[in-house]
Amino acid sequence: MEKTAFVTGGSRGIGRAVVRRLAGAGYAVGINYLQSRTAAEDLAAEIRVQGGRALAVQADVADRAAVRAAIEQAVEALGPIALLVNNAGIAQNDLFQDMPEELWRRMFAVHADGAFHTIQAILPRMLHEKEGCIVNVSSIWGLRGAACETAYAASKAALIGLTRSLAAELAPSHIRVNCVAPGVIRTDMVEALGEETIASLAEQTPAGRLGTPEDVAKAVAFLAGPEADFITGQVLTVDGGFIL
Ligand code: NAP
């Protein structure tokens, strides 16, 4: 039977690759976006042309009411959500001592509160069904920490703590919660660093290249799939060996 997935930040980068991969695996997909309406709607149309089902839904994941409305819209059009991928994210690059309070709060609002909002919205149905899967997209910086990315790293670490705690709480209900921790993945977020930095990051990666959004999408699909049905509370690093 066709299952429904909901992917936050599905309009670009890693999220878009996850959406394509899940649609290819037979999921109907709710594609959440913040601003990139055309990109999200084009992606939904692309999936429909290929015979799949998809719907683009706008919501700032930091906004609890907007998230609930977007998820309701997706459920109405596509059916109850069996797989949630919390991927929406934003980058940061500032010295901690200069960081405005709003930036600190925004990082946590998008990465930590965002997952809180989506999970609370989909969980009652998963608990009722005693089935479901959640994959959170953290970062290697959430595992290791990174200078000038303190709010980013701390909020991504929060997502790891949420993953592990919730996995323990929900395992008896047959709901799995896992995390992927991407390394440096070539998306708009990384393009902003400039060619020189990108080349140096590729050089520092033992695998000799940066990751692609598809590298991460494959890991998400694995954690969501039946091969991973006894795996919960784990953080799967997808970084070509960057933090080894
Ligand atoms: P990206 O290309 O900048 O795409 C970010 C996506 O998140 C877009 O779809 C964007 O929507 C959406 N988004 C941002 N803020 C949102 C909000 N408040 N509400 C809803 N959607 C929101 O970034 P990416 O590189 O694909 O990153 C995806 C995830 O992977 C992020 O969580 C990021 O932290 C994580 N990650 C990335 C890397 C990397 O190297 N690229 C490494 C580790 C972890 P719009 O298109 O509408 O703006």
PDB file of all heavy atoms in Angstrom, residues 40-80:
ATOM      1  N   ALA A  40       9.005  24.290  -5.137  1.00  0.00           N
ATOM      2  CA  ALA A  40       8.260  23.194  -4.490  1.00  0.00           C
ATOM      3  C   ALA A  40       7.125  22.712  -5.386  1.00  0.00           C
ATOM      4  O   ALA A  40       6.889  21.504  -5.519  1.00  0.00           O
ATOM      5  CB  ALA A  40       7.715  23.669  -3.146  1.00  0.00           C
ATOM      6  N   GLU A  41       6.438  23.663  -6.037  1.00  0.00           N
ATOM      7  CA  GLU A  41       5.323  23.242  -6.903  1.00  0.00           C
ATOM      8  C   GLU A  41       5.827  22.538  -8.164  1.00  0.00           C
ATOM      9  O   GLU A  41       5.204  21.587  -8.635  1.00  0.00           O
ATOM     10  CB  GLU A  41       4.430  24.442  -7.225  1.00  0.00           C
ATOM     11  CG  GLU A  41       3.637  24.807  -5.977  1.00  0.00           C
ATOM     12  CD  GLU A  41       2.628  25.915  -6.164  1.00  0.00           C
ATOM     13  OE1 GLU A  41       2.684  26.617  -7.187  1.00  0.00           O
ATOM     14  OE2 GLU A  41       1.777  26.066  -5.257  1.00  0.00           O
ATOM     15  N   ASP A  42       6.964  22.996  -8.693  1.00  0.00           N
ATOM     16  CA  ASP A  42       7.557  22.319  -9.861  1.00  0.00           C
ATOM     17  C   ASP A  42       7.946  20.881  -9.504  1.00  0.00           C
ATOM     18  O   ASP A  42       7.765  19.954 -10.290  1.00  0.00           O
ATOM     19  CB  ASP A  42       8.810  23.059 -10.353  1.00  0.00           C
ATOM     20  CG  ASP A  42       8.458  24.345 -11.088  1.00  0.00           C
ATOM     21  OD1 ASP A  42       7.252  24.587 -11.303  1.00  0.00           O
ATOM     22  OD2 ASP A  42       9.388  25.111 -11.416  1.00  0.00           O
ATOM     23  N   LEU A  43       8.476  20.712  -8.292  1.00  0.00           N
ATOM     24  CA  LEU A  43       8.887  19.372  -7.843  1.00  0.00           C
ATOM     25  C   LEU A  43       7.659  18.465  -7.695  1.00  0.00           C
ATOM     26  O   LEU A  43       7.680  17.300  -8.127  1.00  0.00           O
ATOM     27  CB  LEU A  43       9.639  19.493  -6.509  1.00  0.00           C
ATOM     28  CG  LEU A  43      10.189  18.205  -5.893  1.00  0.00           C
ATOM     29  CD1 LEU A  43      11.160  17.501  -6.847  1.00  0.00           C
ATOM     30  CD2 LEU A  43      10.894  18.519  -4.560  1.00  0.00           C
ATOM     31  N   ALA A  44       6.590  19.016  -7.119  1.00  0.00           N
ATOM     32  CA  ALA A  44       5.353  18.231  -6.977  1.00  0.00           C
ATOM     33  C   ALA A  44       4.818  17.849  -8.360  1.00  0.00           C
ATOM     34  O   ALA A  44       4.398  16.702  -8.586  1.00  0.00           O
ATOM     35  CB  ALA A  44       4.316  19.021  -6.189  1.00  0.00           C
ATOM     36  N   ALA A  45       4.872  18.793  -9.302  1.00  0.00           N
ATOM     37  CA  ALA A  45       4.385  18.523 -10.658  1.00  0.00           C
ATOM     38  C   ALA A  45       5.232  17.442 -11.325  1.00  0.00           C
ATOM     39  O   ALA A  45       4.714  16.541 -11.996  1.00  0.00           O
ATOM     40  CB  ALA A  45       4.410  19.812 -11.481  1.00  0.00           C
ATOM     41  N   GLU A  46       6.557  17.527 -11.119  1.00  0.00           N
ATOM     42  CA  GLU A  46       7.481  16.525 -11.693  1.00  0.00           C
ATOM     43  C   GLU A  46       7.102  15.121 -11.197  1.00  0.00           C
ATOM     44  O   GLU A  46       7.080  14.161 -11.979  1.00  0.00           O
ATOM     45  CB  GLU A  46       8.908  16.899 -11.247  1.00  0.00           C
ATOM     46  CG  GLU A  46       9.983  15.887 -11.562  1.00  0.00           C
ATOM     47  CD  GLU A  46      11.294  16.217 -10.830  1.00  0.00           C
ATOM     48  OE1 GLU A  46      11.749  17.385 -10.866  1.00  0.00           O
ATOM     49  OE2 GLU A  46      11.863  15.302 -10.195  1.00  0.00           O
ATOM     50  N   ILE A  47       6.783  15.021  -9.911  1.00  0.00           N
ATOM     51  CA  ILE A  47       6.424  13.709  -9.343  1.00  0.00           C
ATOM     52  C   ILE A  47       5.089  13.226  -9.910  1.00  0.00           C
ATOM     53  O   ILE A  47       4.929  12.045 -10.246  1.00  0.00           O
ATOM     54  CB  ILE A  47       6.387  13.802  -7.797  1.00  0.00           C
ATOM     55  CG1 ILE A  47       7.816  13.988  -7.272  1.00  0.00           C
ATOM     56  CG2 ILE A  47       5.738  12.567  -7.180  1.00  0.00           C
ATOM     57  CD1 ILE A  47       7.905  14.407  -5.828  1.00  0.00           C
ATOM     58  N   ARG A  48       4.159  14.144 -10.060  1.00  0.00           N
ATOM     59  CA  ARG A  48       2.845  13.750 -10.608  1.00  0.00           C
ATOM     60  C   ARG A  48       2.979  13.277 -12.052  1.00  0.00           C
ATOM     61  O   ARG A  48       2.342  12.301 -12.456  1.00  0.00           O
ATOM     62  CB  ARG A  48       1.847  14.902 -10.484  1.00  0.00           C
ATOM     63  CG  ARG A  48       1.388  15.122  -9.036  1.00  0.00           C
ATOM     64  CD  ARG A  48       0.158  16.002  -8.977  1.00  0.00           C
ATOM     65  NE  ARG A  48       0.461  17.380  -9.320  1.00  0.00           N
ATOM     66  CZ  ARG A  48       0.773  18.324  -8.423  1.00  0.00           C
ATOM     67  NH1 ARG A  48       0.824  18.044  -7.135  1.00  0.00           N
ATOM     68  NH2 ARG A  48       1.029  19.548  -8.817  1.00  0.00           N
ATOM     69  N   VAL A  49       3.837  13.954 -12.833  1.00  0.00           N
ATOM     70  CA  VAL A  49       4.055  13.554 -14.228  1.00  0.00           C
ATOM     71  C   VAL A  49       4.581  12.119 -14.291  1.00  0.00           C
ATOM     72  O   VAL A  49       4.254  11.349 -15.197  1.00  0.00           O
ATOM     73  CB  VAL A  49       5.049  14.534 -14.929  1.00  0.00           C
ATOM     74  CG1 VAL A  49       5.598  13.950 -16.225  1.00  0.00           C
ATOM     75  CG2 VAL A  49       4.373  15.863 -15.201  1.00  0.00           C
ATOM     76  N   GLN A  50       5.383  11.768 -13.264  1.00  0.00           N
ATOM     77  CA  GLN A  50       5.942  10.398 -13.236  1.00  0.00           C
ATOM     78  C   GLN A  50       4.975   9.386 -12.630  1.00  0.00           C
ATOM     79  O   GLN A  50       5.346   8.248 -12.343  1.00  0.00           O
ATOM     80  CB  GLN A  50       7.261  10.401 -12.456  1.00  0.00           C
ATOM     81  CG  GLN A  50       8.375  11.103 -13.235  1.00  0.00           C
ATOM     82  CD  GLN A  50       9.573  11.483 -12.357  1.00  0.00           C
ATOM     83  OE1 GLN A  50       9.588  11.188 -11.160  1.00  0.00           O
ATOM     84  NE2 GLN A  50      10.551  12.132 -12.956  1.00  0.00           N
ATOM     85  N   GLY A  51       3.748   9.831 -12.376  1.00  0.00           N
ATOM     86  CA  GLY A  51       2.730   8.900 -11.884  1.00  0.00           C
ATOM     87  C   GLY A  51       2.611   8.848 -10.369  1.00  0.00           C
ATOM     88  O   GLY A  51       1.840   8.055  -9.830  1.00  0.00           O
ATOM     89  N   GLY A  52       3.384   9.688  -9.671  1.00  0.00           N
ATOM     90  CA  GLY A  52       3.322   9.693  -8.212  1.00  0.00           C
ATOM     91  C   GLY A  52       2.321  10.709  -7.697  1.00  0.00           C
ATOM     92  O   GLY A  52       1.610  11.359  -8.467  1.00  0.00           O
ATOM     93  N   ARG A  53       2.292  10.837  -6.360  1.00  0.00           N
ATOM     94  CA  ARG A  53       1.404  11.823  -5.748  1.00  0.00           C
ATOM     95  C   ARG A  53       2.233  12.733  -4.854  1.00  0.00           C
ATOM     96  O   ARG A  53       3.068  12.258  -4.086  1.00  0.00           O
ATOM     97  CB  ARG A  53       0.302  11.134  -4.940  1.00  0.00           C
ATOM     98  CG  ARG A  53      -0.634  10.320  -5.840  1.00  0.00           C
ATOM     99  CD  ARG A  53      -1.943   9.994  -5.140  1.00  0.00           C
ATOM    100  NE  ARG A  53      -1.707   9.322  -3.891  1.00  0.00           N
ATOM    101  CZ  ARG A  53      -2.364   9.598  -2.745  1.00  0.00           C
ATOM    102  NH1 ARG A  53      -3.280  10.528  -2.707  1.00  0.00           N
ATOM    103  NH2 ARG A  53      -2.095   8.914  -1.652  1.00  0.00           N
ATOM    104  N   ALA A  54       2.011  14.034  -4.968  1.00  0.00           N
ATOM    105  CA  ALA A  54       2.782  14.984  -4.167  1.00  0.00           C
ATOM    106  C   ALA A  54       2.004  16.286  -4.039  1.00  0.00           C
ATOM    107  O   ALA A  54       1.199  16.633  -4.907  1.00  0.00           O
ATOM    108  CB  ALA A  54       4.124  15.255  -4.832  1.00  0.00           C
ATOM    109  N   LEU A  55       2.275  16.987  -2.949  1.00  0.00           N
ATOM    110  CA  LEU A  55       1.631  18.283  -2.722  1.00  0.00           C
ATOM    111  C   LEU A  55       2.646  19.214  -2.068  1.00  0.00           C
ATOM    112  O   LEU A  55       3.295  18.826  -1.088  1.00  0.00           O
ATOM    113  CB  LEU A  55       0.425  18.112  -1.791  1.00  0.00           C
ATOM    114  CG  LEU A  55      -0.351  19.393  -1.487  1.00  0.00           C
ATOM    115  CD1 LEU A  55      -1.204  19.802  -2.694  1.00  0.00           C
ATOM    116  CD2 LEU A  55      -1.238  19.217  -0.261  1.00  0.00           C
ATOM    117  N   ALA A  56       2.761  20.432  -2.606  1.00  0.00           N
ATOM    118  CA  ALA A  56       3.642  21.430  -1.988  1.00  0.00           C
ATOM    119  C   ALA A  56       2.849  22.209  -0.955  1.00  0.00           C
ATOM    120  O   ALA A  56       1.737  22.674  -1.241  1.00  0.00           O
ATOM    121  CB  ALA A  56       4.177  22.367  -3.071  1.00  0.00           C
ATOM    122  N   VAL A  57       3.395  22.337   0.257  1.00  0.00           N
ATOM    123  CA  VAL A  57       2.682  23.071   1.312  1.00  0.00           C
ATOM    124  C   VAL A  57       3.630  24.051   2.012  1.00  0.00           C
ATOM    125  O   VAL A  57       4.705  23.659   2.475  1.00  0.00           O
ATOM    126  CB  VAL A  57       2.030  22.130   2.366  1.00  0.00           C
ATOM    127  CG1 VAL A  57       0.771  21.495   1.824  1.00  0.00           C
ATOM    128  CG2 VAL A  57       2.982  21.072   2.864  1.00  0.00           C
ATOM    129  N   GLN A  58       3.197  25.304   2.092  1.00  0.00           N
ATOM    130  CA  GLN A  58       4.030  26.324   2.712  1.00  0.00           C
ATOM    131  C   GLN A  58       3.859  26.328   4.226  1.00  0.00           C
ATOM    132  O   GLN A  58       2.728  26.176   4.718  1.00  0.00           O
ATOM    133  CB  GLN A  58       3.633  27.708   2.150  1.00  0.00           C
ATOM    134  CG  GLN A  58       4.655  28.809   2.383  1.00  0.00           C
ATOM    135  CD  GLN A  58       4.615  29.417   3.795  1.00  0.00           C
ATOM    136  OE1 GLN A  58       3.592  29.381   4.474  1.00  0.00           O
ATOM    137  NE2 GLN A  58       5.727  29.970   4.233  1.00  0.00           N
ATOM    138  N   ALA A  59       4.939  26.453   4.960  1.00  0.00           N
ATOM    139  CA  ALA A  59       4.876  26.718   6.405  1.00  0.00           C
ATOM    140  C   ALA A  59       6.278  27.015   6.897  1.00  0.00           C
ATOM    141  O   ALA A  59       7.236  26.371   6.476  1.00  0.00           O
ATOM    142  CB  ALA A  59       4.327  25.516   7.182  1.00  0.00           C
ATOM    143  N   ASP A  60       6.384  27.987   7.777  1.00  0.00           N
ATOM    144  CA  ASP A  60       7.626  28.185   8.522  1.00  0.00           C
ATOM    145  C   ASP A  60       7.603  27.162   9.648  1.00  0.00           C
ATOM    146  O   ASP A  60       6.702  27.202  10.504  1.00  0.00           O
ATOM    147  CB  ASP A  60       7.647  29.614   9.077  1.00  0.00           C
ATOM    148  CG  ASP A  60       8.906  29.907   9.878  1.00  0.00           C
ATOM    149  OD1 ASP A  60       9.632  28.963  10.248  1.00  0.00           O
ATOM    150  OD2 ASP A  60       9.159  31.096  10.143  1.00  0.00           O
ATOM    151  N   VAL A  61       8.559  26.240   9.665  1.00  0.00           N
ATOM    152  CA  VAL A  61       8.516  25.180  10.683  1.00  0.00           C
ATOM    153  C   VAL A  61       8.596  25.731  12.108  1.00  0.00           C
ATOM    154  O   VAL A  61       8.225  25.052  13.063  1.00  0.00           O
ATOM    155  CB  VAL A  61       9.605  24.089  10.479  1.00  0.00           C
ATOM    156  CG1 VAL A  61       9.343  23.289   9.228  1.00  0.00           C
ATOM    157  CG2 VAL A  61      11.001  24.668  10.524  1.00  0.00           C
ATOM    158  N   ALA A  62       9.070  26.964  12.228  1.00  0.00           N
ATOM    159  CA  ALA A  62       9.151  27.586  13.560  1.00  0.00           C
ATOM    160  C   ALA A  62       7.777  28.014  14.076  1.00  0.00           C
ATOM    161  O   ALA A  62       7.633  28.371  15.236  1.00  0.00           O
ATOM    162  CB  ALA A  62      10.080  28.797  13.500  1.00  0.00           C
ATOM    163  N   ASP A  63       6.787  28.005  13.197  1.00  0.00           N
ATOM    164  CA  ASP A  63       5.443  28.483  13.528  1.00  0.00           C
ATOM    165  C   ASP A  63       4.522  27.273  13.748  1.00  0.00           C
ATOM    166  O   ASP A  63       4.109  26.604  12.802  1.00  0.00           O
ATOM    167  CB  ASP A  63       4.952  29.366  12.362  1.00  0.00           C
ATOM    168  CG  ASP A  63       3.551  29.914  12.566  1.00  0.00           C
ATOM    169  OD1 ASP A  63       2.767  29.341  13.355  1.00  0.00           O
ATOM    170  OD2 ASP A  63       3.241  30.926  11.902  1.00  0.00           O
ATOM    171  N   ARG A  64       4.213  27.020  15.014  1.00  0.00           N
ATOM    172  CA  ARG A  64       3.473  25.809  15.376  1.00  0.00           C
ATOM    173  C   ARG A  64       2.119  25.701  14.661  1.00  0.00           C
ATOM    174  O   ARG A  64       1.767  24.640  14.128  1.00  0.00           O
ATOM    175  CB  ARG A  64       3.256  25.826  16.895  1.00  0.00           C
ATOM    176  CG  ARG A  64       2.602  24.606  17.464  1.00  0.00           C
ATOM    177  CD  ARG A  64       2.563  24.738  18.991  1.00  0.00           C
ATOM    178  NE  ARG A  64       1.782  23.698  19.628  1.00  0.00           N
ATOM    179  CZ  ARG A  64       2.243  22.482  19.919  1.00  0.00           C
ATOM    180  NH1 ARG A  64       3.475  22.173  19.631  1.00  0.00           N
ATOM    181  NH2 ARG A  64       1.488  21.592  20.505  1.00  0.00           N
ATOM    182  N   ALA A  65       1.385  26.806  14.612  1.00  0.00           N
ATOM    183  CA  ALA A  65       0.059  26.767  13.989  1.00  0.00           C
ATOM    184  C   ALA A  65       0.182  26.526  12.485  1.00  0.00           C
ATOM    185  O   ALA A  65      -0.594  25.755  11.894  1.00  0.00           O
ATOM    186  CB  ALA A  65      -0.687  28.068  14.269  1.00  0.00           C
ATOM    187  N   ALA A  66       1.164  27.176  11.868  1.00  0.00           N
ATOM    188  CA  ALA A  66       1.354  27.013  10.415  1.00  0.00           C
ATOM    189  C   ALA A  66       1.742  25.571  10.086  1.00  0.00           C
ATOM    190  O   ALA A  66       1.290  25.003   9.083  1.00  0.00           O
ATOM    191  CB  ALA A  66       2.429  27.978   9.924  1.00  0.00           C
ATOM    192  N   VAL A  67       2.565  24.965  10.938  1.00  0.00           N
ATOM    193  CA  VAL A  67       2.977  23.572  10.723  1.00  0.00           C
ATOM    194  C   VAL A  67       1.759  22.654  10.803  1.00  0.00           C
ATOM    195  O   VAL A  67       1.563  21.779   9.955  1.00  0.00           O
ATOM    196  CB  VAL A  67       4.059  23.152  11.753  1.00  0.00           C
ATOM    197  CG1 VAL A  67       4.251  21.648  11.776  1.00  0.00           C
ATOM    198  CG2 VAL A  67       5.380  23.849  11.441  1.00  0.00           C
ATOM    199  N   ARG A  68       0.948  22.880  11.816  1.00  0.00           N
ATOM    200  CA  ARG A  68      -0.258  22.034  11.964  1.00  0.00           C
ATOM    201  C   ARG A  68      -1.150  22.155  10.740  1.00  0.00           C
ATOM    202  O   ARG A  68      -1.658  21.161  10.221  1.00  0.00           O
ATOM    203  CB  ARG A  68      -1.036  22.435  13.223  1.00  0.00           C
ATOM    204  CG  ARG A  68      -0.342  21.913  14.446  1.00  0.00           C
ATOM    205  CD  ARG A  68      -1.179  21.989  15.707  1.00  0.00           C
ATOM    206  NE  ARG A  68      -0.441  21.302  16.752  1.00  0.00           N
ATOM    207  CZ  ARG A  68      -0.657  20.058  17.136  1.00  0.00           C
ATOM    208  NH1 ARG A  68      -1.624  19.355  16.596  1.00  0.00           N
ATOM    209  NH2 ARG A  68       0.093  19.488  18.054  1.00  0.00           N
ATOM    210  N   ALA A  69      -1.333  23.384  10.263  1.00  0.00           N
ATOM    211  CA  ALA A  69      -2.201  23.604   9.094  1.00  0.00           C
ATOM    212  C   ALA A  69      -1.617  22.912   7.861  1.00  0.00           C
ATOM    213  O   ALA A  69      -2.344  22.264   7.089  1.00  0.00           O
ATOM    214  CB  ALA A  69      -2.373  25.101   8.854  1.00  0.00           C
ATOM    215  N   ALA A  70      -0.303  23.017   7.673  1.00  0.00           N
ATOM    216  CA  ALA A  70       0.340  22.416   6.496  1.00  0.00           C
ATOM    217  C   ALA A  70       0.226  20.893   6.547  1.00  0.00           C
ATOM    218  O   ALA A  70      -0.035  20.234   5.534  1.00  0.00           O
ATOM    219  CB  ALA A  70       1.812  22.837   6.431  1.00  0.00           C
ATOM    220  N   ILE A  71       0.417  20.335   7.736  1.00  0.00           N
ATOM    221  CA  ILE A  71       0.341  18.873   7.861  1.00  0.00           C
ATOM    222  C   ILE A  71      -1.094  18.397   7.630  1.00  0.00           C
ATOM    223  O   ILE A  71      -1.328  17.404   6.929  1.00  0.00           O
ATOM    224  CB  ILE A  71       0.945  18.414   9.199  1.00  0.00           C
ATOM    225  CG1 ILE A  71       2.481  18.565   9.107  1.00  0.00           C
ATOM    226  CG2 ILE A  71       0.558  16.969   9.533  1.00  0.00           C
ATOM    227  CD1 ILE A  71       3.273  18.167  10.321  1.00  0.00           C
ATOM    228  N   GLU A  72      -2.052  19.150   8.153  1.00  0.00           N
ATOM    229  CA  GLU A  72      -3.465  18.783   7.907  1.00  0.00           C
ATOM    230  C   GLU A  72      -3.778  18.789   6.411  1.00  0.00           C
ATOM    231  O   GLU A  72      -4.444  17.894   5.898  1.00  0.00           O
ATOM    232  CB  GLU A  72      -4.398  19.774   8.606  1.00  0.00           C
ATOM    233  CG  GLU A  72      -4.814  19.297   9.991  1.00  0.00           C
ATOM    234  CD  GLU A  72      -5.526  20.374  10.785  1.00  0.00           C
ATOM    235  OE1 GLU A  72      -6.319  21.141  10.179  1.00  0.00           O
ATOM    236  OE2 GLU A  72      -5.276  20.441  11.999  1.00  0.00           O
ATOM    237  N   GLN A  73      -3.268  19.824   5.732  1.00  0.00           N
ATOM    238  CA  GLN A  73      -3.471  19.942   4.276  1.00  0.00           C
ATOM    239  C   GLN A  73      -2.887  18.719   3.562  1.00  0.00           C
ATOM    240  O   GLN A  73      -3.523  18.145   2.673  1.00  0.00           O
ATOM    241  CB  GLN A  73      -2.715  21.183   3.818  1.00  0.00           C
ATOM    242  CG  GLN A  73      -3.367  22.018   2.748  1.00  0.00           C
ATOM    243  CD  GLN A  73      -2.402  23.142   2.346  1.00  0.00           C
ATOM    244  OE1 GLN A  73      -1.716  23.734   3.185  1.00  0.00           O
ATOM    245  NE2 GLN A  73      -2.328  23.407   1.057  1.00  0.00           N
ATOM    246  N   ALA A  74      -1.680  18.327   3.959  1.00  0.00           N
ATOM    247  CA  ALA A  74      -1.022  17.181   3.317  1.00  0.00           C
ATOM    248  C   ALA A  74      -1.779  15.888   3.610  1.00  0.00           C
ATOM    249  O   ALA A  74      -1.975  15.055   2.713  1.00  0.00           O
ATOM    250  CB  ALA A  74       0.430  17.075   3.799  1.00  0.00           C
ATOM    251  N   VAL A  75      -2.226  15.729   4.859  1.00  0.00           N
ATOM    252  CA  VAL A  75      -2.940  14.502   5.232  1.00  0.00           C
ATOM    253  C   VAL A  75      -4.245  14.399   4.448  1.00  0.00           C
ATOM    254  O   VAL A  75      -4.608  13.328   3.938  1.00  0.00           O
ATOM    255  CB  VAL A  75      -3.208  14.462   6.764  1.00  0.00           C
ATOM    256  CG1 VAL A  75      -4.164  13.341   7.122  1.00  0.00           C
ATOM    257  CG2 VAL A  75      -1.890  14.307   7.516  1.00  0.00           C
ATOM    258  N   GLU A  76      -4.930  15.527   4.328  1.00  0.00           N
ATOM    259  CA  GLU A  76      -6.205  15.527   3.593  1.00  0.00           C
ATOM    260  C   GLU A  76      -6.016  15.115   2.129  1.00  0.00           C
ATOM    261  O   GLU A  76      -6.774  14.322   1.585  1.00  0.00           O
ATOM    262  CB  GLU A  76      -6.797  16.930   3.643  1.00  0.00           C
ATOM    263  CG  GLU A  76      -8.308  16.931   3.556  1.00  0.00           C
ATOM    264  CD  GLU A  76      -8.849  18.287   3.958  1.00  0.00           C
ATOM    265  OE1 GLU A  76      -8.804  18.609   5.158  1.00  0.00           O
ATOM    266  OE2 GLU A  76      -9.264  19.019   3.042  1.00  0.00           O
ATOM    267  N   ALA A  77      -4.932  15.617   1.525  1.00  0.00           N
ATOM    268  CA  ALA A  77      -4.706  15.335   0.105  1.00  0.00           C
ATOM    269  C   ALA A  77      -4.053  13.976  -0.131  1.00  0.00           C
ATOM    270  O   ALA A  77      -4.334  13.317  -1.145  1.00  0.00           O
ATOM    271  CB  ALA A  77      -3.830  16.431  -0.494  1.00  0.00           C
ATOM    272  N   LEU A  78      -3.168  13.558   0.791  1.00  0.00           N
ATOM    273  CA  LEU A  78      -2.316  12.394   0.494  1.00  0.00           C
ATOM    274  C   LEU A  78      -2.506  11.204   1.429  1.00  0.00           C
ATOM    275  O   LEU A  78      -2.014  10.120   1.153  1.00  0.00           O
ATOM    276  CB  LEU A  78      -0.827  12.820   0.551  1.00  0.00           C
ATOM    277  CG  LEU A  78      -0.413  14.006  -0.334  1.00  0.00           C
ATOM    278  CD1 LEU A  78       1.008  14.430  -0.015  1.00  0.00           C
ATOM    279  CD2 LEU A  78      -0.537  13.657  -1.814  1.00  0.00           C
ATOM    280  N   GLY A  79      -3.185  11.437   2.562  1.00  0.00           N
ATOM    281  CA  GLY A  79      -3.370  10.352   3.536  1.00  0.00           C
ATOM    282  C   GLY A  79      -2.459  10.536   4.744  1.00  0.00           C
ATOM    283  O   GLY A  79      -1.563  11.387   4.735  1.00  0.00           O
ATOM    284  N   PRO A  80      -2.686   9.747   5.798  1.00  0.00           N
ATOM    285  CA  PRO A  80      -1.927   9.884   7.041  1.00  0.00           C
ATOM    286  C   PRO A  80      -0.429   9.689   6.843  1.00  0.00           C
ATOM    287  O   PRO A  80      -0.003   8.873   6.020  1.00  0.00           O
ATOM    288  CB  PRO A  80      -2.494   8.783   7.943  1.00  0.00           C
ATOM    289  CG  PRO A  80      -3.370   7.952   7.101  1.00  0.00           C
ATOM    290  CD  PRO A  80      -3.696   8.670   5.850  1.00  0.00           C
TER     291      PRO A  80
END
